[in-house]
Amino acid sequence: MPTKYGNFHNFCRDTGSIHATLPVCNLFPESPSRGGNGFGGCDLEGIALSGGRNLANLGSILVAGIAIAISAFLFLRSNRKRAAVGRREMQLFLLGYTIIMICEIFTVGWFPLNGMVRRVFSAIHIASIVATLWILMMNGAVGYQLLDDGTILSLGLVFGSAAALFVGTGYIALDTGFSWTGFFDQTQAEQGLDKSYSLYTLYQLVPLVFIVIYFLLETILVLRVLGEVRPMIYLVGAALMFAIGQIFQYVVSVHICTGSAGKINGGFFETLFTLFAVILVWVFWSSITEDDWPMPSSAGSTYT
């Protein structure tokens, strides 16, 4: 019996159709990246260029460029907090976010590219999202000092597990986009062109689980261990910014596209609000590593 689980068609249709602002859409046969004609919704056209090309999402390209610069600044600022718990792990998260933003210029921003190259960037983009949010979740665990932060063991576990997720997710995305083995074409043949159970799980659900676990871990750490409330303002703010960005992407996007005659859609706002969320995550982390918080008295903790 057909199920909607794994079906990306409506998402791709409502987020730009011919220039959909979800990277996963570039991997399906209806995408222009694979020679298709779009998904039958409001086409995001953006700015027309010569040769029948379009710079479909200039707003996201500009925000992604700003996000890369801000990530570099926060990376350097993190480096100055030498006594901060999870400093290196936070820098890994910022590096992952930077890779996502580089990919976003070509996958969501639709900077003119050959379709094959765009599919490669889309696979890297999806894999980077999964790996980076895994790193974020691990940042939530680092605060409990189960292992000394910043050590080769700690960084090796975080980076190694993230690399495994990156490789596995990236392979699935590439095989879906290029049909190397045909294994992931079976679901599309049976259920529809834009269906992928594996990518739906990895791209839509797994990152959300990682975010929720991170939020819960940090909430317990701040309220129960540190006994503070003020840092929660930044954490809750980050969650709200992320949620607003997703609402723009999945709910409001089609209405913005229709109202602007395809000039802009919710993809720009999703990129912008996600940047705000990342900044607030960093501010939250920075606030709980200040020296003036009352710290637990257990011996050997790097909080003291």
Side-chain angles (χ1 to χ4, degrees), residues 98-217:
T98 299
I99 295 172
I100 292 171
M101 288 297 99
I102 292 172
C103 292
E104 191 151 318
I105 292 172
F106 304 103
T107 61
V108 172
W110 279 88
F111 189 89
L113 273 183
N114 174 273
M116 182 180 296
V117 178
R118 195 181 310 280
R119 276 178 275 161
V120 172
F121 270 109
S122 297
I124 296 172
H125 190 171
I126 293 167
S128 297
I129 288 172
V130 175
T132 301
L133 289 176
W134 169 263
I135 292 172
L136 179 67
M137 185 188 75
M138 294 300 286
N139 267 266
V142 163
Y144 290 87
Q145 291 289 278
L146 301 175
L147 292 173
D148 287 339
D149 64 288
T151 62
I152 294 177
L153 178 59
S154 175
L155 292 175
L157 287 173
V158 174
F159 180 80
S161 55
L165 283 171
F166 179 89
V167 172
T169 303
Y171 171 76
I172 292 172
L174 285 170
D175 201 347
T176 301
F178 288 91
S179 299
W180 289 334
T181 66
F183 180 82
F184 298 101
D185 293 345
Q186 187 64 29
T187 300
Q188 296 176 18
E190 294 179 353
Q191 303 286 353
L193 292 177
D194 313 313
K195 199 157 193 173
S196 172
Y197 294 132
S198 53
L199 288 180
Y200 196 92
T201 302
L202 288 168
Y203 177 67
Q204 297 283 76
L205 300 184
V206 169
L208 184 60
V209 171
F210 292 162
I211 290 171
V212 170
I213 293 175
Y214 169 78
F215 184 87
L216 293 175
L217 287 172

Side-chain angles (χ1 to χ4, degrees), residues 2-301:
T3 172
K4 290 185 178 181
Y5 186 85
N7 195 335
F8 284 97
H9 178 80
N10 290 351
F11 294 141
C12 298
R13 179 196 65 196
D14 294 341
T15 57
S17 188
I18 198 169
H19 295 125
T21 52
L22 292 176
V24 69
C25 299
N26 299 326
L27 304 177
F28 296 122
E30 290 184 74
S31 170
S33 297
R34 292 190 64 176
N37 298 313
F39 299 86
C42 176
D43 290 331
L44 177 65
E45 299 289 356
I47 301 172
L49 303 175
S50 60
R53 300 174 302 165
N54 292 79
L55 190 59
N57 194 359
L58 178 60
S60 284
I61 293 174
L62 294 175
V63 173
I66 294 170
I68 292 168
I70 290 176
S71 296
F73 171 75
L74 296 179
F75 185 94
L76 295 175
R77 289 284 296 178
S78 301
N79 208 44
R80 295 173 58 184
K81 296 174 69 68
R82 297 190 180 276
V85 175
R87 174 169 58 104
R88 295 304 185 193
E89 290 80 2
M90 176 54 65
Q91 288 178 317
L92 280 179
F93 168 70
L94 292 171
L95 285 175
Y97 176 66
T98 299
I99 295 172
I100 292 171
M101 288 297 99
I102 292 172
C103 292
E104 191 151 318
I105 292 172
F106 304 103
T107 61
V108 172
W110 279 88
F111 189 89
L113 273 183
N114 174 273
M116 182 180 296
V117 178
R118 195 181 310 280
R119 276 178 275 161
V120 172
F121 270 109
S122 297
I124 296 172
H125 190 171
I126 293 167
S128 297
I129 288 172
V130 175
T132 301
L133 289 176
W134 169 263
I135 292 172
L136 179 67
M137 185 188 75
M138 294 300 286
N139 267 266
V142 163
Y144 290 87
Q145 291 289 278
L146 301 175
L147 292 173
D148 287 339
D149 64 288
T151 62
I152 294 177
L153 178 59
S154 175
L155 292 175
L157 287 173
V158 174
F159 180 80
S161 55
L165 283 171
F166 179 89
V167 172
T169 303
Y171 171 76
I172 292 172
L174 285 170
D175 201 347
T176 301
F178 288 91
S179 299
W180 289 334
T181 66
F183 180 82
F184 298 101
D185 293 345
Q186 187 64 29
T187 300
Q188 296 176 18
E190 294 179 353
Q191 303 286 353
L193 292 177
D194 313 313
K195 199 157 193 173
S196 172
Y197 294 132
S198 53
L199 288 180
Y200 196 92
T201 302
L202 288 168
Y203 177 67
Q204 297 283 76
L205 300 184
V206 169
L208 184 60
V209 171
F210 292 162
I211 290 171
V212 170
I213 293 175
Y214 169 78
F215 184 87
L216 293 175
L217 287 172
E218 294 291 31
T219 298
I220 294 170
L221 179 68
V222 171
L223 297 181
R224 297 288 299 273
V225 178
L226 299 180
E228 295 293 336
V229 175
R230 181 166 63 88
M232 290 301 300
I233 297 173
Y234 307 125
L235 185 63
V236 172
L240 285 176
M241 292 297 103
F242 175 79
I244 291 171
Q246 298 309 300
I247 291 171
F248 269 108
Q249 181 76 287
Y250 288 97
V251 180
V252 184
S253 187
V254 64
H255 303 292
I256 297 174
C257 181
T258 303
S260 65
K263 297 299 181 184
I264 190 174
N265 75 352
F268 161 70
F269 297 99
E270 188 273 338
T271 306
L272 180 64
F273 280 98
T274 300
L275 171 59
F276 293 157
V278 170
I279 293 172
L280 285 171
V281 164
W282 187 90
V283 172
F284 165 76
W285 166 78
S286 180
S287 73
I288 64 173
T289 57
E290 292 175 356
D291 294 333
D292 57 353
W293 292 124
M295 305 303 178
S297 57
S298 57
S301 172

